[in-house]
Amino acid sequence: MSPFFDASRSLTALDQDSTLVAVIEMSQTKWLIAATVPGFERSPLKKLDADPDSVLRLLRRWRSEAIQAGREVRRIVVAYEAGRDGFWLARWLQARAVEAYVIHPSSVAVSREHRRAKTDRLDTELLMRAFLGWLRGEKRHCSMAAIPTINEEEARRPNRERDNLVRERTRIVNRIKAILARFGIRAFKPNLRKAAEKLEALHTAEGMPLPERSRAELRRNLGRLHLLREQIHEIEQERLRQLSVVPDTEKGPLAMVRLLSRIVGVGIETADMLVNEILTRPA
């Protein structure tokens, strides 16, 4: 990604008479591609299987048809909304001499006055209007996401996975407390190492043993909690191992994480998030 990349507008002048512009509405099994092609009176719309080679063949076919119509196509640009598929398709297209961009979904303006119909055709029309405005350099049409490399994406995985595990751990703890609250038990601490042992000795506020089905559910939840703790610990230990083998003379994300983590009040988790989510992102 160029250091002068502007997420809010394109810095390359758009010559629509020599530029093939396409947008892709992606789903799990099918992709809908809309385009504006030089020399075409209509805007073509094509539904394909979710296959990048099919997209590339279609773009090249449209370019060949534009050339046959007497137009020179010097630039092919493609955009799609960020979603489940991430950035792999953009990288794949860029490696094959196609300009590819990924649109922030929340940046596309949608009318709030009436309920908007939801169809793939209307979505591609909305994306095309927003993308053309961005290519023309007009502000407030949409915003592009910086496309990370595979290594940059991989560097973010441990922090994001740990965050998901911590959130799941909190949900399970709250679930255990909610089950126990129905029996008037409020002092039980699920995060204790010996919580499973203490569970067997619990009695309700009325002095009766916990009902067996509720006790079994609590055992399963504590088992999940134990597994989550182990997985969180594994991620944290692997990160500490990686930081410990980085030479002091090395420059890079790991060195930055280690340096930031030495600041009072900034732990390794915060340092890792700052470096991989913010500081090392393309400009």
Side-chain angles (χ1 to χ4, degrees):
M1 184 68 67
S2 166
F4 301 106
F5 174 72
D6 186 344
S8 65
R9 62 189 178 93
S10 174
L11 299 179
T12 303
L14 175 64
D15 180 4
Q16 206 159 334
D17 290 334
S18 63
T19 304
L20 193 163
V21 182
V23 295
I24 307 175
E25 177 66 25
M26 303 174 72
S27 64
Q28 189 167 353
T29 58
K30 296 291 182 179
W31 293 346
L32 185 66
I33 307 175
T36 60
V37 184
F40 281 33
E41 292 184 3
R42 59 179 180 82
S43 295
L45 188 69
K46 183 74 174 178
K47 180 167 282 192
L48 302 172
D49 290 333
D51 172 46
D53 289 308
S54 299
V55 173
L56 190 59
R57 283 195 299 269
L58 180 62
L59 293 173
R60 289 173 175 173
R61 193 190 82 193
W62 282 338
R63 180 179 62 185
S64 298
E65 292 175 359
I67 293 172
Q68 291 173 6
R71 299 298 184 91
E72 180 184 4
V73 177
R74 295 192 295 267
R75 185 183 179 197
I76 301 177
V77 291
V78 177
Y80 62 91
E81 276 190 300
R84 184 180 61 88
D85 282 272
F87 299 95
W88 73 267
L89 180 59
R91 290 192 296 263
W92 191 90
L93 290 169
Q94 287 175 347
R96 288 154 181 80
V98 176
E99 279 187 55
Y101 299 95
V102 180
I103 302 173
H104 275 296
S106 60
S107 71
V108 179
V110 176
S111 174
R112 306 295 180 188
E113 296 177 3
H114 306 286
R115 285 180 67 92
R116 183 171 66 91
K118 173 68 176 176
T119 68
D120 287 344
R121 181 183 292 271
L122 288 176
D123 283 345
T124 55
E125 291 176 1
L126 183 64
L127 284 180
M128 181 61 77
R129 286 197 298 271
F131 188 36
L132 285 173
W134 186 87
L135 288 170
R136 295 188 190 105
E138 301 170 9
K139 294 272 191 177
R140 294 182 293 278
H141 273 273
C142 64
S143 180
M144 297 297 168
I147 299 171
T149 65
I150 290 179
N151 289 337
E152 287 170 342
E153 284 198 292
E154 280 296 290
R156 298 170 188 167
R157 295 317 311 162
N159 185 270
R160 292 184 179 185
E161 182 186 5
R162 183 187 178 280
D163 182 62
N164 287 332
L165 292 173
V166 169
R167 290 173 186 271
E168 181 61 25
R169 182 181 65 184
T170 301
R171 281 194 290 269
I172 291 176
V173 167
N174 290 338
R175 194 179 307 145
I176 291 171
K177 289 180 177 180
I179 293 171
L180 292 173
R182 292 190 292 110
F183 301 104
I185 302 170
R186 300 184 181 277
F188 185 78
K189 297 180 180 179
N191 283 319
L192 293 178
R193 292 289 178 182
K194 296 184 177 180
E197 298 176 18
K198 293 181 180 295
L199 173 67
E200 302 305 321
L202 279 183
H203 286 72
T204 69
E206 301 159 284
M208 299 173 60
L210 280 176
E212 188 52 40
R213 290 177 182 175
S214 292
R215 194 186 298 272
E217 182 181 358
L218 289 166
R219 289 193 198 104
R220 287 189 288 269
N221 278 308
L222 287 172
R224 296 186 192 104
L225 200 58
H226 178 71
L227 176 61
L228 288 171
R229 277 200 298 262
E230 288 185 340
Q231 292 178 340
I232 291 169
H233 180 71
E234 181 182 343
I235 293 170
E236 292 172 346
Q237 290 301 113
E238 175 60 21
R239 182 161 44 203
L240 290 173
R241 186 196 66 77
Q242 291 177 355
L243 292 174
S244 67
V245 299
V246 178
D248 291 334
T249 57
E250 182 174 323
K251 295 181 180 180
L254 285 175
M256 292 172 66
V257 170
R258 190 166 64 181
L259 182 63
L260 279 174
S261 65
R262 293 172 181 169
I263 299 174
V264 175
V266 179
I268 290 178
E269 302 304 330
T270 302
D272 186 79
M273 182 275 293
L274 287 172
V275 169
N276 291 305
E277 299 286 356
I278 299 173
L279 297 181
T280 58
R281 280 197 172 193

